[in-house]
Amino acid sequence: MSTASAGPEQVDDRHGGGHSAQPLVIGHRGASGYRPEHTLASYELAARMGADYIEPDLVSTKDGVLVARHEPEIGGTTDVAKHTEFADRKKTKVLDGVNVTGWWTEDFTLAELKTLRAVERIPDIRQRNTIYNGRYEVPTFQEVIDLSRRLSRELGRDIGIYPETKHPTYFRKLGLDLNPKLVDALNRNGLNRPGAKVFVQSFEVGNLQAFKGKLRVPLIQLTSASGAPYDFVDRGDKRTYADLLTPAGLREVARYADGIGPDKNQVIPRDAAGNLGQPSPLVANAHAAGLKVHPYTFRAENNFLPTNLRSSSVPAEYGNLFGELSAFWAAGVDGLFTDNSDIAVASRAETFPRR
């Protein structure tokens, strides 16, 4: 299902939305630099700031409903620890080979999850966001779709959705396979068609390949700066993410996907001092294979910026995100994931002025 690549300087109107000659701004978990992530408030703010797409990470409830959470473990993103009625739900489980202790979406029905409220995941970095703790529910995928439609009408432009299947091997082994639920949701909403403003992404490979013949929207292979897709690990395949990003690996990815979502350090590495270095060949190699490139994650706080773009030694203070964005636009990326959609939209407008 791979399609021809178009760099940010080329016209690409396959997904609509009015940004045909510009790279995409993707609201990473919404506008999570300003609101607790994966809440309707976060998604709405990202859209109002100008994001082309909003990105829900999808996990499953006990009764098989897709909801938006960064991980199935929700102790750090909800107030579940304060709910004494759920104290006995706290468990240690093996998630992708790692022991994790907490509360898990698959142990809650949707009705039970709806009694919880979202909280800021990194309060030490984003203390301002904590003022919104306890105000927002855990949204369903359907609620995210409904929000995107409402905002598209209100704002007069299509707000796309960019769902990620989280830990698909883990959920499949629990009997809560994410793939058919995602396909069904897109079918029910008329979004499983060429031209729909939808991307589907995953850090695993097998579940993306399994979408072939079932999804008619672009697929994005996510990669990490280290490690390997967990479905590879699970079946003893020794290939790593680095192997997927070789020229030969990218050609293989292009057999089932339309693009890659790499860690931004795979596009422009940092030097030994943590400074932003020179671009790697990844964008050129991916484009040569017919793949788009949407790196993650661009954040304004010093904690997440290269050393030479930080404003101080204080992790929570803002640094020079504009400088980082400029370097990645120049590297030829086709879009990017950001927690600060307003800054990315402003930077894009400066770099790619409309004619």
Side-chain angles (χ1 to χ4, degrees):
M1 83 157 38
S2 182
T3 55
S5 174
E9 75 286 351
Q10 297 173 289
V11 173
D12 174 10
D13 59 1
R14 287 178 300 142
H15 312 298
H19 292 289
S20 59
Q22 297 181 319
L24 300 174
V25 171
I26 304 150
H28 181 249
R29 311 175 196 169
S32 46
Y34 311 107
R35 299 290 187 275
E37 65 191 31
H38 293 307
T39 59
L40 293 182
S42 182
Y43 298 133
E44 178 165 355
L45 184 57
R48 293 189 181 281
M49 286 178 163
D52 304 298
Y53 287 77
I54 52 178
E55 185 225 12
D57 293 343
L58 300 181
V59 297
S60 180
T61 66
K62 183 178 182 178
D63 44 350
V65 179
L66 294 180
V67 295
R69 286 291 88 189
H70 177 48
E71 295 287 345
E73 197 289 302
I74 55 173
T77 61
T78 73
D79 61 359
V80 64
K82 296 181 178 179
H83 286 251
T84 56
E85 70 273 26
F86 298 135
D88 62 349
R89 306 275 179 101
K90 189 174 185 180
K91 299 176 183 177
T92 298
K93 300 190 180 188
V94 180
L95 180 66
D96 291 2
V98 178
N99 286 331
V100 179
T101 300
W103 290 263
W104 303 79
T105 58
E106 68 269 16
D107 294 332
F108 291 78
T109 65
L110 177 61
E112 289 173 330
L113 273 183
K114 284 293 189 179
T115 68
L116 308 180
R117 293 296 180 267
V119 300
E120 172 55 39
R121 184 177 59 88
I122 46 174
D124 291 345
I125 301 296
R126 292 174 171 166
Q127 193 273 335
R128 182 182 177 276
N129 284 11
T130 63
I131 196 172
Y132 298 101
N133 284 356
R135 300 188 66 84
Y136 309 125
E137 293 182 356
V138 174
T140 66
F141 184 39
Q142 184 61 53
E143 288 172 330
V144 178
I145 294 173
D146 292 343
L147 175 68
S148 72
R149 285 179 162 163
R150 175 175 68 80
L151 291 173
S152 295
R153 292 191 298 268
E154 181 179 338
L155 299 174
R157 60 184 180 86
D158 287 340
I159 306 301
I161 56 171
Y162 205 128
E164 178 187 345
T165 56
K166 297 292 293 192
H167 305 286
T169 294
Y170 174 80
F171 279 108
R172 178 177 53 79
K173 289 184 175 183
L174 291 174
L176 295 167
D177 194 345
L178 303 176
N179 277 32
K181 297 181 191 338
L182 177 54
V183 172
D184 179 63
L186 295 179
N187 283 336
R188 282 187 288 104
N189 288 277
L191 293 172
N192 188 10
R193 55 179 172 78
K197 200 165 180 185
V198 178
F199 288 94
V200 172
Q201 57 177 333
S202 180
F203 276 102
E204 295 190 13
V205 173
N207 77 307
L208 286 180
Q209 293 172 329
F211 282 129
K212 187 174 183 180
K214 298 181 177 67
L215 285 184
R216 304 176 70 198
V217 299
L219 305 179
I220 301 294
Q221 177 65 65
L222 296 171
T223 67
S224 176
S226 62
Y230 185 70
D231 57 321
F232 282 10
V233 176
D234 187 58
R235 67 173 187 253
D237 188 325
K238 300 301 184 184
R239 288 177 294 168
T240 65
Y241 286 120
D243 293 321
L244 295 183
L245 297 187
T246 64
L250 290 166
R251 290 192 294 271
E252 179 65 25
V253 170
R255 296 178 61 181
Y256 63 87
D258 300 83
I260 57 171
D263 183 308
K264 64 184 180 182
N265 294 324
Q266 295 174 304
V267 174
I268 305 182
R270 299 182 187 185
D271 65 21
N275 299 315
L276 195 64
Q278 295 301 310
S280 74
L282 179 57
V283 172
N285 290 342
H287 286 168
L291 296 166
K292 291 190 171 293
V293 182
H294 297 163
Y296 65 89
T297 304
F298 293 82
R299 296 164 162 140
E301 295 86 4
N302 287 323
N303 187 69
F304 305 111
L305 287 165
T307 302
N308 58 316
L309 295 178
R310 295 174 184 173
S311 62
S312 72
S313 61
V314 180
E317 289 184 352
Y318 279 3
N320 186 9
L321 178 56
F322 276 98
E324 185 180 41
L325 290 166
S326 294
F328 280 81
W329 301 138
V333 300
D334 302 286
L336 49 79
F337 293 85
T338 180
D339 291 3
N340 307 88
S341 294
D342 54 341
I343 300 174
V345 168
S347 173
R348 180 178 65 180
E350 293 174 358
T351 307
F352 305 95
R354 293 187 181 277
R355 295 183 176 87

